[in-house]
Amino acid sequence: MSENSKSGQKARPTEHDRGLAEGARLWAREQGLPVPARGEVPRTIIRQYRQRTAPN
């Protein structure tokens, strides 16, 4: 997520961001990685998910 430059607050997640987070959360659970059930998914999990699920 990006920050709103005027207020310094985080921007609301887009539909794509939410889908990415849920996909990464499910993938992490399947891999046995610790991931919170709610809230922000750690960037390291998102990065690993993108690397492992990117089309070749």
Side-chain angles (χ1 to χ4, degrees):
M1 281 184 277
S2 62
E3 286 195 14
N4 180 331
S5 59
K6 290 184 180 183
S7 67
Q9 296 176 345
K10 287 189 176 183
R12 294 184 117 174
T14 64
E15 191 67 34
H16 172 76
D17 293 337
R18 286 189 292 270
L20 176 63
E22 283 306 308
R25 192 183 315 274
L26 177 61
W27 173 85
R29 285 188 195 130
E30 290 171 351
Q31 304 307 307
L33 299 171
V35 64
R38 296 181 57 165
E40 192 169 341
V41 177
R43 289 182 191 159
T44 56
I45 297 290
I46 297 289
R47 192 175 307 118
Q48 290 175 32
Y49 172 70
R50 283 182 167 159
Q51 290 173 345
R52 309 262 184 333
T53 61
N56 292 332

